[in-house]
Amino acid sequence: MKPKKSANELLSNGIIDKFKTRGFDGYYCRNCDEAVELIKTLIPDNSSVAWGGSETLKETGIFEMLKSGSYNLLDRSTAKTPEEQREMYAKHVMSDVFLMSSNAITMDGELVNIDGNGNRVACLITGPKSVIVVAGINKISYDINEAVNRIRNIAAPPNAIRLDCNTPCKVLGKCGDCMSDDCMCCHLVVTRTSRIKGRIKIILINETLGY
């Protein structure tokens, strides 16, 4: 294993120890293929499965695995009207499993997320029986302040371009601390611990994934 990969593995294992103290279940995977195989073991057949918007989930191949499995997929892209979208979000809250990434993870084991509509962080906080968080090694930040800076200035600009949001970060390539109608940073959520032990499962992958 290359030195950088070895160092990332050591860092990940240390953070997983921190997860345990916070009531999270933590897992380390060397690559996306390992992560997909692990997720298969974490989602029982016939489970209702929902997910938040995530480039990481796309890049790992998780969606292909879900489509080939025996699951009830709650795909929000199938909701066409505002009322259908509202009904779909209600189903997400009541799902058996909710999949997402995290915008950042601190070295002390905290999850840091910024959201526009808030549906993703809402399901992280409460509702689904199980939440599986999938994150590449690039999401690790030293502390909460660094995590927020990373999200606003590294993750948000390419996301704004991808989603065609009318925000300063789309134009400047960095945060403009905006109050735009298209603002993606309406909700800042730091998840310190889980009152329901093991409800939140976090998979760290030794690859660069997402934004």
Side-chain angles (χ1 to χ4, degrees):
M1 187 182 295
K2 294 181 179 180
K4 188 173 182 180
K5 287 281 189 178
S6 296
N8 288 342
E9 182 172 328
L10 292 171
L11 177 61
S12 298
N13 288 330
I15 294 172
I16 286 171
D17 287 339
K18 297 289 187 179
F19 289 158
K20 294 175 184 176
T21 67
R22 296 180 178 278
F24 309 141
D25 287 347
Y27 306 86
Y28 168 79
C29 291
R30 292 174 296 178
N31 52 53
C32 293
D33 290 340
E34 280 192 2
V36 170
E37 291 303 312
L38 171 61
I39 290 169
K40 284 182 183 179
T41 70
L42 298 177
I43 306 179
D45 286 346
N46 302 315
S47 295
S48 58
V49 182
W51 53 87
S54 169
E55 289 300 292
T56 296
L57 296 181
K58 292 179 184 177
E59 293 171 7
T60 54
I62 289 169
F63 290 138
E64 287 76 8
M65 179 273 287
L66 291 174
K67 290 175 183 177
S68 66
S70 302
Y71 311 113
N72 174 22
L73 302 184
L74 304 174
D75 186 350
R76 64 178 183 172
S77 68
T78 62
K80 304 304 180 185
T81 67
E83 185 58 35
E84 287 177 352
Q85 291 172 355
R86 188 167 182 270
E87 290 175 359
M88 182 61 75
Y89 286 142
K91 291 178 181 178
H92 281 199
V93 171
M94 295 301 293
S95 63
D96 296 318
V97 179
F98 186 79
L99 286 158
M100 60 177 286
S101 188
S102 184
N103 295 128
I105 298 172
T106 71
M107 290 189 181
D108 205 34
E110 299 144 312
L111 303 179
V112 184
N113 285 281
I114 284 179
D115 217 351
N117 292 324
N119 56 291
R120 182 173 61 96
V121 293
C123 286
L124 170 63
I125 293 169
T126 189
K129 293 178 183 177
S130 176
V131 177
I132 300 175
V133 179
V134 183
I137 199 73
N138 52 306
K139 299 295 185 70
I140 295 174
S141 300
Y142 180 71
D143 57 16
I144 293 172
N145 288 335
E146 184 180 286
V148 172
N149 182 63
R150 180 198 179 278
I151 298 166
R152 287 181 167 172
N153 292 290
I154 296 176
N159 257 322
I161 293 169
R162 177 177 66 90
L163 298 170
D164 195 24
C165 295
N166 183 23
T167 58
C169 65
K170 178 188 174 186
V171 177
L172 301 174
K174 64 178 182 178
C175 182
D177 197 25
C178 75
M179 297 281 187
S180 165
D181 289 343
D182 280 356
C183 179
M184 300 185 299
C185 302
C186 300
H187 306 276
L188 169 60
V189 174
V190 178
T191 306
R192 297 180 57 254
T193 186
S194 177
R195 182 171 289 182
I196 304 172
K197 305 303 180 185
R199 173 180 175 269
I200 298 174
K201 302 164 182 65
I202 307 166
I203 301 171
L204 292 177
I205 305 174
N206 200 346
E207 293 188 19
T208 297
L209 298 165
Y211 297 136

